[in-house]
């Protein structure tokens, strides 16, 4: 048997990524909903549809500063206005003069009515007088106080916002699963909503494991590895909206690891570990958490998945509350890819967000790349929009394991299990990363 055949045979023993993700995500449920006021609800996901209890605007109002009038008075169709010669340089040959009978501001509340030949000075947001159907902007007038001369006639309805024009009462404002953005908070408030029912942000605890790990702020020495993973994964969990807590480094001590995980179940909706998921002599997380006790399987099942990089992933629950645990590889690149593929969808599902996966596009590949047979590869890449529509994707140097490539990437090039070579010019799938640049 050739080396290629050996590789393909080994790959056939791996669990397809789609099957593995399906089996994991089916075991998770969105967190129980909470009723929160608007300020607290920002950043969470709605657990229920939200319907407008009141219209917006709530009443007819001026959209601009100016003069509220009857359109027939300023269009020449009524008998009320006086016509006077236009000042030098004014267009139209003559102007319209109306009597200003009062001022209305945003805090005005007494109802008033227009009579023929009259108008009210109004501020933007002020309630409109009864019978007003146009607001003449200040700059189209001589800004008179007792009487005003209008040099330019707007169309009927100009400068007017009618009650319910934007959002009638009963409008569906947002569906369950929608992220509560600042703009959505404003919409809720404007229609009279003070509280909404949301899913709480998942509390995610991140633990790095390994005797070789040392904390940041120093360089690695032989036998030492700086713990980049727990810092990076904490940032990744926070980026997706979780309340992320970095515990730090846990040595490869069985009782220490079990005790730490048990303690963290008190404040976690999800625990992420990194390191020790393989089958080597130093991979203690897999040994400890998959160990059978009392004839029962361990709390975490480790699976070799058809994923590159980082085939070894773990999932299970710990503690009396059965808090979910995701175990990621120790290599930083593999850990971050594992987070994107497994942990991020899990957090989204707990938060009640839809969809749980990153958006994807089809893109024109700019460079020929090779990929391991039988594995679904996620490779850092740069995605750009093409003039005239569509996307291009440029794989970044170094392949999927390099941290520098991941730091520069705004997308992940996805190469399927059957792809060993993707030629330049072909069309490929790309996951879009939400990088604020």
């Amino acid at each position: 048997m050739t080396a290629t055949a050996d590789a393909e045979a080994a790959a056939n023993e791996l669990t397809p990524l789609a099957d593995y993700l399906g089996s994991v995500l089916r075991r998770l449920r969105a967190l129980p909903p909470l009723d929160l006021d608007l300020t607290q609800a920002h950043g969470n996901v709605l657990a229920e549809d939200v319907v407008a209890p009141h219209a917006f605007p709530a009443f007819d109002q001026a959209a601009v500063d100016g003069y509220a009038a009857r359109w027939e008075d300023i269009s020449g169709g009524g008998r009320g206005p006086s016509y006077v010669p236009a000042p030098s340089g004014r267009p139209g040959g003559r102007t319209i003069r109306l009597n200003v009978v009062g001022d209305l501001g945003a805090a005005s509340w007494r109802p008033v009515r227009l009579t023929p030949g009259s108008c009210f000075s109004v501020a933007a947001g002020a309630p409109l007088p009864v019978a007003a159907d146009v607001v003449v902007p200040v700059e189209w007038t001589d800004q008179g106080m007792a009487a005003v001369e209008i040099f330019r006639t707007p169309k009927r309805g100009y400068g007017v916002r009618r009650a319910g024009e934007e959002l009638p009462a009963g409008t569906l404002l947002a569906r369950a699963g929608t992220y509560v953005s600042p703009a959505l908070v404003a919409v809720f408030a404007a229609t009279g909503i003070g509280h909404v029912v949301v899913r709480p942000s998942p509390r995610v605890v991140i633990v790095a494991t390994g005797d070789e790990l040392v904390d940041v702020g120093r360089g690695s020495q032989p036998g030492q590895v700086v713990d980049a993973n727990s810092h990076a994964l904490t940032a990744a969990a926070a980026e997706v909206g979780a309340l992320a807590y970095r515990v730090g480094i846990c040595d490869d001590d069985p009782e220490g690891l079990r005790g730490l995980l048990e303690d963290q179940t008190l404040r976690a909706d999800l625990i992420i570990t990194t390191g020790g998921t393989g089958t080597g002599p130093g991979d203690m997380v897999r040994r400890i958490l998959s160990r059978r006790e009392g004839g029962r399987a361990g709390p975490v099942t480790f699976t070799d998945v058809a994923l590159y990089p980082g085939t070894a992933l773990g999932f299970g629950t710990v503690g009396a509350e059965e808090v979910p645990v995701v175990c990621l590889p120790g290599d930083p690149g593999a850990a971050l890819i594992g987070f994107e593929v497994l942990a991020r969808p899990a957090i989204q599902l707990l938060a009640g967000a839809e969809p749980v996966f990153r958006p994807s596009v089809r893109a024109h590949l700019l460079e020929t790349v090779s990929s391991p047979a039988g594995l679904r590869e996620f490779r850092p890449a740069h995605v750009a929009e093409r003039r005239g529509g569509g996307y291009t994707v440029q794989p970044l140097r170094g392949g999927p394991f390099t941290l520098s490539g991941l730091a520069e990437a705004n997308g992940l090039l996805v190469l399927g299990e059957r792809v060993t070579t993707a030629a330049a010019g072909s069309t490929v799938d790309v996951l879009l990363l939400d990088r604020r640049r």
Side-chain angles (χ1 to χ4, degrees), residues 68-149:
R70 303 190 317 157
W71 189 78
E72 62 180 323
D73 283 344
I74 66 173
S75 65
R79 299 179 180 179
S82 300
Y83 293 90
V84 299
S88 177
R90 297 290 186 183
R94 60 182 180 174
T95 63
I96 299 170
R97 178 180 293 162
L98 298 177
N99 295 324
V100 181
V101 295
D103 300 321
L104 297 175
S108 299
W109 58 274
R110 293 184 183 276
V112 294
R113 177 180 289 273
L114 278 177
T115 57
S118 68
C119 66
F120 278 83
S121 173
V122 294
L128 282 179
V130 176
D133 56 4
V134 68
V135 176
V136 182
V138 169
E139 57 269 23
W140 294 3
T141 73
D142 69 348
Q143 303 182 30
M145 299 178 66
V148 63
E149 292 184 5

Side-chain angles (χ1 to χ4, degrees), residues 270-297:
L270 175 69
I271 297 174
I272 299 175
T273 71
T274 174
T277 61
T279 56
D283 290 318
M284 296 299 296
V285 170
R286 186 170 188 150
R287 291 187 184 185
I288 294 166
L289 297 184
S290 64
R291 182 176 299 164
R292 301 180 67 89
E293 295 183 2
R296 296 185 302 176

Side-chain angles (χ1 to χ4, degrees), residues 29 34 38 53 67 71 87 117 177 189 255 309 314 369 389 394 414 428:
R29 295 291 181 269
L34 295 174
L38 287 186
Y67 295 86
W71 189 78
E255 295 306 317
V369 294
Q394 174 64 55
V414 183
V428 293

